[in-house]
Amino acid sequence: MKDIDAIAALQDPVRRRLYEYVAAQGREVGRNEAAEAAGVARTLAAHHLDRLTEAGLLESGSRRLTGRSGPGAGRPAKVYTRARAERTVSLPARDYRTAAELLAEAAEEAGLDAGLCAAARRRGEALRGSGEPCGGLEDAMRTLAARGYEPHLEGAEGTAGAGEPVVGAEGTAAVGEPVVRMRNCPFHAVAERFPPLVCGMNLALLEGLLGTDGAVRARMDARPGECCVVVETSKNNIH
C-alpha cells in the first residue's frame, strides 16, 4: 500500500481516534480497551483496528489478556501496536532523508560532532525564542509534545514504573523520581544509521529548547524503541 493510501485511512474520525490511542500507549492494546477509549462499540472498533492493520499503520497479534495460562485461561485476544514503518507524503516528491543521511555521513567522517551540537543548541534556543527555560516537567512535556516527541512521565506515582529506580548514564536516581521519556524520535531514520552523531545533536537541540539553567535538564539515556534523551528535574532545583 502506498504511503498516501495508508495516511488516507486516518481520514475517518473514529479510526483516527483509535490509531492515536493505540500509538500513545506504547504497548499492546486489546479491542475492548480501544473501543472504550474511543467511545464506540467493540465490533466497530474491531473493524477499524483491522482496517488500520491492513493499511500498515498498526501491527496485530494475539495473547491472553487475563495473564493466566492453561485450561480455563480463555482464548487469546487480538491485540494491536503501532507499526514500526514510517509513512511520509510529499507533494511534489522530495527526498530530505537522503540529504540528511549524506550530510550526517560527511559530518561524521570529518569529525564535526562538536560543531553540529553547537548549531543544534543554537537552533533549540531560537525555537524557544525569548521564553524562559522550562519551569518543570509538565512544561517540558508540553514543549516536547509540540515538537512530535510523544513524551510520557515515568517513575512518578500512578504511572508505569512507579517506585522503581531510574537508571541512566549518570547513575541511579532516587526511587520513584519521575523522568520524561519520549516514545518518538523525530530523527529516527537518520539516528539508526549514525547514532552517536544524531543522538548528540538531539541532546544539544533539547538543551537549547528546554534551557540548561532552569528547572529541568535533558540527558542521554538510550532505551530500545524510544528517543535516546530523557528529561528530569534539574539537580540544581532539588531542595
Side-chain angles (χ1 to χ4, degrees):
M1 177 174 288
K2 295 180 180 179
D3 284 2
I4 192 168
D5 295 324
I7 294 172
L10 296 173
Q11 183 176 1
D12 183 283
V14 173
R15 200 172 299 157
R16 184 167 183 173
R17 288 204 305 273
L18 287 164
Y19 172 79
E20 289 174 344
Y21 179 78
V22 173
Q25 303 316 301
R27 57 173 173 78
E28 294 177 329
V29 175
R31 287 172 167 175
N32 287 340
E33 179 186 347
E36 184 177 352
V40 298
R42 182 184 184 279
T43 52
L44 180 60
H47 166 73
H48 285 304
L49 289 166
D50 287 339
R51 286 291 303 274
L52 288 166
T53 302
E54 293 169 6
L57 296 172
L58 296 181
E59 295 176 357
S60 65
S62 61
R63 67 177 177 87
R64 289 187 174 90
L65 299 178
T66 61
R68 302 194 305 271
S69 59
R75 297 174 57 188
K78 201 163 188 180
V79 292
Y80 302 84
T81 56
R82 178 166 59 182
R84 288 164 289 187
E86 183 177 307
R87 303 284 184 174
T88 58
V89 174
S90 176
L91 298 172
R94 297 287 188 264
D95 188 7
Y96 299 113
R97 175 173 173 176
T98 297
E101 290 178 347
L102 289 171
L103 290 169
E105 183 177 353
E108 190 171 75
E109 291 178 353
L112 300 177
D113 303 57
L116 177 62
C117 287
R121 192 171 290 106
R122 290 194 300 270
R123 175 58 63 90
E125 291 170 350
L127 290 171
R128 175 159 52 93
S130 59
E132 295 293 325
C134 281
L137 294 182
E138 290 186 3
D139 189 15
M141 289 181 69
R142 286 191 292 270
T143 300
L144 293 167
R147 302 298 306 175
Y149 282 92
E150 299 182 6
H152 65 103
L153 196 63
E154 182 178 281
E157 184 177 355
T159 66
E164 299 178 0
V166 179
V167 181
E170 300 180 16
T172 303
V175 172
E177 182 178 332
V179 297
V180 174
R181 292 187 177 273
M182 293 163 270
R183 292 196 175 99
N184 182 50
C185 172
F187 316 110
H188 174 72
V190 187
E192 277 195 318
R193 288 197 56 190
F194 308 95
L197 181 77
V198 178
C199 290
M201 176 200 75
N202 187 29
L203 174 61
L205 177 71
L206 292 181
E207 286 176 341
L209 182 65
L210 302 176
T212 56
D213 54 353
V216 302
R217 69 162 186 164
R219 65 173 172 83
M220 200 76 74
D221 189 7
R223 194 163 76 175
E226 295 189 338
C227 177
C228 59
V229 178
V230 298
V231 178
E232 63 186 6
T233 301
S234 173
K235 298 300 183 289
N236 296 328
N237 286 273
I238 297 178
H239 302 290

